[in-house]
Amino acid sequence: WAVFTISMGAHLLKDIVNGIKLIVSSARERHNYHQGMRLFVGGVILTLTAAFTLLISGIYNAATAKSNSEIILNCVAIVFVTDIDEYVYGVLCTVNMSWVKMWSVQGEEECVGESGFDKDEEEDNVDLNSEIQKLIAHVESLQLNVEGHNEKLKMVLQHLSSDG
């Protein structure tokens, strides 16, 4: 039971805390009514779902599990089922970022971490690569200029040494 309590508590505590944060965030004045209600309802649903999952999984395990391995197996199954939404969100971020940005309060910030892909980052990389190419060309022209000056200096030194 200790493993069940620790693993379920650690896993679901994140959702409970995030739900409470959403509820608190919904009361801030910077959100309009529609956004505030979305945050409030989302926070209540997230908090209640996590708390309900914790309660029901405890009752279910107490009623059906006959050994510690069954408790752990049930715990792993519940953790997997509660993570499905995050897996689907990661897939949506990967497949269609604009749709997620349109419907999500957080938008792109979370998707970047979920999918590891960011179109703006790719555009920034292209811009940086073009800047690097420009700098390389400039350095090469400076190098040619310096080499030209070196040749002139060698000629002046040869001229001075032959005069001296």
Side-chain angles (χ1 to χ4, degrees):
W1 280 99
V3 172
F4 169 78
T5 305
I6 291 170
S7 62
M8 290 300 290
H11 181 74
L12 293 174
L13 190 61
K14 174 185 160 198
D15 287 340
I16 292 171
V17 169
N18 284 336
I20 292 170
K21 283 182 177 181
L22 284 173
I23 293 169
V24 170
S25 177
S26 71
R28 295 198 179 126
E29 291 181 14
R30 67 178 174 198
H31 300 296
N32 61 31
Y33 177 77
H34 179 69
Q35 220 176 12
M37 285 305 294
R38 281 178 62 184
L39 290 171
F40 180 77
V41 170
V44 168
I45 289 172
L46 183 61
T47 304
L48 290 178
T49 302
F52 186 70
T53 301
L54 187 60
L55 175 69
I56 296 303
S57 61
I59 293 171
Y60 176 77
N61 274 328
T64 62
K66 296 178 179 136
S67 67
N68 288 338
S69 60
E70 286 181 5
I71 292 173
I72 293 172
L73 180 65
N74 289 340
C75 179
V76 169
I78 291 167
V79 167
F80 174 75
V81 169
T82 58
D83 277 347
I84 287 176
D85 64 329
E86 293 170 19
Y87 297 139
V88 171
Y89 185 75
V91 169
L92 287 175
C93 287
T94 303
V95 171
N96 195 348
M97 178 77 71
S98 62
W99 188 83
V100 174
K101 281 195 286 187
M102 179 176 69
W103 289 101
S104 178
V105 174
Q106 291 86 13
E108 195 173 348
E109 299 87 32
E110 281 191 17
C111 281
V112 173
E114 297 285 334
S115 68
F117 179 74
D118 183 5
K119 288 184 181 179
D120 291 337
E121 189 174 301
E122 184 177 305
E123 291 170 4
D124 291 344
N125 287 341
V126 170
D127 291 342
L128 287 175
N129 284 335
S130 67
E131 288 295 319
I132 288 171
Q133 294 302 322
K134 288 177 187 176
L135 286 173
I136 288 172
H138 184 67
V139 167
E140 288 173 350
S141 70
L142 288 174
Q143 184 179 8
L144 290 174
N145 195 5
V146 167
E147 288 173 359
H149 287 296
N150 281 343
E151 290 300 319
K152 288 179 185 176
L153 286 173
K154 284 181 184 177
M155 289 174 36
V156 168
L157 285 173
Q158 284 177 353
H159 180 54
L160 288 174
S161 64
S162 66
D163 287 343

